[in-house]
């Protein structure tokens, strides 16, 4: 099966600019996650979707970050305006709900550098 | 809040030596997952442990879940250069609808 697709792979922006990331999960995976991974740290959850509904966005900095999954498939994550501390890899992951498949499948991520 | 602690942060071994990383939570976990991230790559799912005291093996890798479901370990026997990467434990506190809280990872380097 195809993996989780993310784009772009790399992005460099100046602080206070806006940026958007796109994710296409594995077909049929109802649950989608966005994680932020700062260099040298473990991934930190930003938001969790179940189909097109938000399950958990408690750690999403809502003053500057937003995410949507309008049709329950693709998702976009936006940062506006970006800060230097937003420099990180943004990972999208999906998971099949139910059955015997438990692990998250991560995309290759988008490496964001804010200068 | 819910937090997963992982030690050590780094481990340098000679090829052929064993390696162990430990994961600890202050509160009971629903389950725990382990991931491997190669340099420049993304986390790749290795295994999930659900039951108290569970032990699972994958070739040279042995995963354990503590009796109280608060700690876990990953042991690699006779490391190889292909084992290089960062190993993350990720705790789930919320059952089937829960999300994963990742530890900071243990970065393993293997000297040939």
């Amino acid at each position: 099966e195809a993996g989780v697709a993310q784009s772009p792979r790399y992005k460099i922006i100046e602080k206070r600019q806006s940026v958007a990331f796109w994710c296409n999960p594995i077909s049929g995976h109802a649950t989608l996650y966005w994680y932020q991974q700062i260099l040298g740290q473990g991934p930190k959850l930003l938001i969790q979707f179940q189909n097109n509904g938000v399950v958990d966005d408690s750690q999403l900095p809502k003053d500057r970050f937003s995410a949507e999954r309008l049709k329950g498939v693709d998702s976009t994550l936006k940062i506006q305006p970006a800060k230097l501390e937003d420099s990180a890899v943004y990972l999208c992951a999906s998971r099949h709900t139910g059955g015997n498949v438990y692990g998250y499948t991560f995309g290759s991520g988008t490496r964001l550098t804010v200068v | 809040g819910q937090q997963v602690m992982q030690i050590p942060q780094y481990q340098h071994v000679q090829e052929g030596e064993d390696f162990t990383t430990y994961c600890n939570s202050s509160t009971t976990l629903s389950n725990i997952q382990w991931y491997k991230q190669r340099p420049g790559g993304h986390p790749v799912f290795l295994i999930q442990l659900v039951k108290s005291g569970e032990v699972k093996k994958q070739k040279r890798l042995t995963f354990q879940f503590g009796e109280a479901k608060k700690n876990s370990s990953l042991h690699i026997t006779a490391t190889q250069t292909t084992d290089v990467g960062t190993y993350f434990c990720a705790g789930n506190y919320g059952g089937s609808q829960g999300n994963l809280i990742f530890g900071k990872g243990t970065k393993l380097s293997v000297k040939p």
Side-chain angles (χ1 to χ4, degrees):
Chain A
E1 63 179 3
V4 175
Q6 287 190 248
S7 67
R9 283 300 308 274
Y10 305 93
K11 192 74 176 178
I12 301 175
I13 61 172
E14 295 182 349
K15 59 184 179 183
R16 292 188 290 274
Q17 285 188 323
S18 62
V19 65
F21 313 126
W22 174 81
C23 173
N24 185 12
I26 291 175
S27 178
H29 280 197
T31 311
L32 183 148
Y33 310 83
W34 283 101
Y35 277 84
Q36 179 194 58
Q37 186 174 25
I38 293 172
L39 186 64
Q41 297 185 19
K44 173 190 166 186
L45 179 72
L46 293 175
I47 190 167
Q48 175 186 354
F49 290 96
Q50 180 77 14
N51 296 308
N52 61 348
V54 175
V55 175
D56 185 350
D57 64 355
S58 58
Q59 296 190 77
L60 187 73
K62 298 180 187 65
D63 58 332
R64 297 184 301 106
F65 286 65
S66 65
E68 60 183 15
R69 193 184 183 199
L70 293 175
K71 296 183 179 178
V73 181
D74 294 8
S75 177
T76 56
L77 175 69
K78 296 180 181 178
I79 307 175
Q80 181 180 11
K83 293 185 175 181
L84 295 177
E85 59 260 36
D86 297 332
S87 293
V89 176
Y90 290 84
L91 294 162
C92 178
S94 70
R95 182 173 70 94
H96 175 64
T97 306
N100 294 319
V101 181
Y102 303 105
Y104 292 16
T105 301
F106 283 87
S108 298
T110 296
R111 183 176 297 275
L112 174 67
T113 303
V114 183
V115 297
Chain B
Q2 293 156 344
Q3 196 172 10
V4 174
M5 306 299 294
Q6 191 173 355
I7 58 168
Q9 191 173 358
Y10 303 97
Q11 186 79 58
H12 309 283
V13 301
Q14 192 78 31
E15 188 173 22
E17 292 182 339
D18 292 356
F19 159 77
T20 305
T21 174
Y22 301 90
C23 199
N24 186 62
S25 168
S26 58
T27 55
T28 303
L29 295 159
S30 295
N31 57 67
I32 194 161
Q33 297 183 7
W34 286 90
Y35 289 78
K36 177 183 179 180
Q37 186 171 26
R38 294 182 185 275
H42 56 274
V44 174
F45 174 70
L46 294 176
I47 208 160
Q48 174 173 284
L49 304 172
V50 179
K51 299 176 183 177
S52 169
E54 190 169 17
V55 178
K56 287 188 176 180
K57 293 191 176 184
Q58 288 180 350
K59 297 183 180 177
R60 294 178 296 105
L61 278 60
T62 301
F63 304 84
Q64 293 189 344
F65 202 9
E67 293 291 338
K69 298 183 70 172
K70 289 184 178 181
N71 60 286
S72 182
S73 65
L74 158 60
H75 179 82
I76 302 179
T77 303
T79 55
Q80 300 175 359
T81 54
T82 53
D83 295 326
V84 164
T86 301
Y87 292 84
F88 292 99
C89 61
N92 180 355
Y93 297 89
S96 61
Q97 293 301 314
N99 52 64
L100 293 177
I101 308 294
F102 280 77
K104 290 191 173 182
T106 297
K107 187 173 183 178
L108 173 65
S109 62
V110 180
K111 190 174 182 181

